[in-house]
Amino acid sequence: MESELKVPTMAELSAAGQQPEILFWVGCAGSFDDRAKRITKAFVKILNRAQVSFAVLGTEESCTGDPAKRTGNEFLFQMQAVSNIEVLNAYEVKKVVTTCPHCFNTLKNEYPDLGGKYEVMHHTQFLEELIKEGKITLEGGKFKGKRITYHDPCYLGRANNVYKAPRDLIEKLDAELVEMKNCKKKGLCCGAGGAQMFKEPEKGDKDVNIERTEQALETKPDIIAAACPFCNTMMTDGVKNKEKEATIAVLDIAELIANAKDL
């Protein structure tokens, strides 16, 4: 039940003289997109279950500036980044975890130059840590034996070399991980990166997300796993285009873990 989710804000904890272990950076998609909100809730469900000390910025969180930077508006990016850094530094944030590879890449690699130096983790890396520490267990869940293919988000994989954590998590579900012909360093973009998410594609022979979905369907999966809200949208649209939504689910890694054993 949503009512059972505990989501403290940094302002609340600060007022009580408390400092959480991690700041959960929700991101624009996770805050405002109805589909991505389900990923946010799934991750919070896991954090609550594992009794992780965390908080969100809530209304004090603004866009990281990734779309502005990718579309060439460096001035707007720096304005957004500096504003966020001032808030983060005021709360003395040390560790940030996010479910969005775009936020992850920007916070990790581009904020330090502007005075925002934090330990930044993608949620798949953090979830892997929780399993290693024994705070959550997965074996024998409802995804046991399912064929799952994993789509590498560009800003997680090729930009930051995070390939192992999401795959380890899928295998921990006792699921069968089946790789697409383009995977890991040769992964194919879903078509949403570089702020393409927010515009219609240029005219061409085939949309990128359709090509990528076709590669996923070649593996005959029960589930297409993603680890990025943008990728989730593009792959979901691709599955709908192929009229396969009744038989193939597109799920974030956090959703798989949150629902594996009815946490």
Side-chain angles (χ1 to χ4, degrees):
M1 291 289 291
E2 286 179 36
S3 59
E4 293 171 0
L5 294 178
K6 295 188 184 72
V7 190
T9 64
M10 286 297 293
E12 289 167 354
L13 292 191
S14 181
Q18 298 172 355
Q19 183 75 7
E21 177 194 342
I22 66 163
L23 171 77
F24 170 28
W25 186 276
V26 182
C28 298
S31 298
F32 301 113
D33 180 81
D34 285 343
R35 174 64 187 88
K37 284 179 192 174
R38 283 157 41 199
I39 300 169
T40 302
K41 288 172 184 172
F43 187 55
V44 168
K45 188 176 172 184
I46 298 165
L47 294 176
N48 285 171
R49 174 75 176 189
Q51 297 183 319
V52 173
S53 166
F54 80 99
V56 299
L57 286 175
T59 55
E60 292 186 279
E61 182 186 297
S62 179
C63 177
T64 60
D66 167 80
K69 189 174 183 72
R70 304 303 158 227
T71 49
N73 195 334
E74 182 67 22
F75 177 68
L76 178 57
F77 160 70
Q78 291 201 18
M79 282 178 60
Q80 290 181 296
V82 168
S83 174
N84 283 321
I85 289 166
E86 285 175 353
V87 173
L88 291 168
N89 289 354
Y91 283 122
E92 297 181 352
V93 169
K94 300 287 188 291
K95 187 172 183 177
V96 181
V97 179
T98 180
T99 51
C100 176
H102 298 261
C103 298
F104 168 70
N105 179 69
T106 304
L107 292 165
K108 181 175 186 285
N109 299 320
E110 290 161 352
Y111 272 34
D113 289 342
L114 298 169
K117 296 177 181 172
Y118 321 104
E119 180 189 355
V120 184
M121 297 182 77
H122 185 253
H123 71 301
T124 55
Q125 297 172 308
F126 189 70
L127 291 170
E128 189 176 41
E129 270 193 5
L130 291 181
I131 289 172
K132 284 177 180 173
E133 291 167 4
K135 291 181 179 176
I136 50 174
T137 55
L138 296 177
E139 288 75 7
K142 67 174 67 169
F143 299 110
K144 184 172 183 175
K146 296 283 188 186
R147 283 176 67 85
I148 301 178
T149 192
Y150 172 66
H151 164 75
D152 285 287
C154 294
Y155 280 102
L156 187 63
R158 286 175 304 191
N160 287 284
N161 289 310
V162 179
Y163 299 110
K164 187 172 180 293
R167 287 173 169 81
D168 286 351
L169 291 168
I170 290 170
E171 289 175 342
K172 284 274 195 307
L173 294 165
D174 291 338
E176 181 187 355
L177 174 63
V178 285
E179 296 284 9
M180 292 183 234
K181 64 183 178 185
N182 285 84
C183 65
K184 299 181 181 175
K185 288 188 177 175
K186 293 185 179 177
L188 183 68
C189 177
C190 71
Q196 294 292 311
M197 177 78 175
F198 306 105
K199 58 182 275 298
E200 291 301 314
E202 287 80 7
K203 193 170 176 58
D205 296 329
K206 187 193 292 186
D207 287 353
V208 176
N209 70 312
I210 302 301
E211 176 69 24
R212 187 55 166 162
T213 301
E214 287 172 357
Q215 291 188 355
L217 296 180
E218 282 173 13
T219 69
K220 296 185 167 41
D222 297 308
I223 296 163
I224 298 171
C228 169
F230 289 7
C231 296
N232 194 300
T233 296
M234 301 302 272
M235 299 304 285
T236 298
D237 287 351
V239 169
K240 285 178 180 172
N241 177 271
K242 298 295 181 182
E243 299 181 346
K244 298 279 189 184
E245 66 264 39
T247 53
I248 298 173
V250 180
L251 295 169
D252 188 88
I253 300 278
E255 294 177 299
L256 290 171
I257 290 174
N259 297 316
K261 297 184 83 171
D262 295 320
L263 293 181

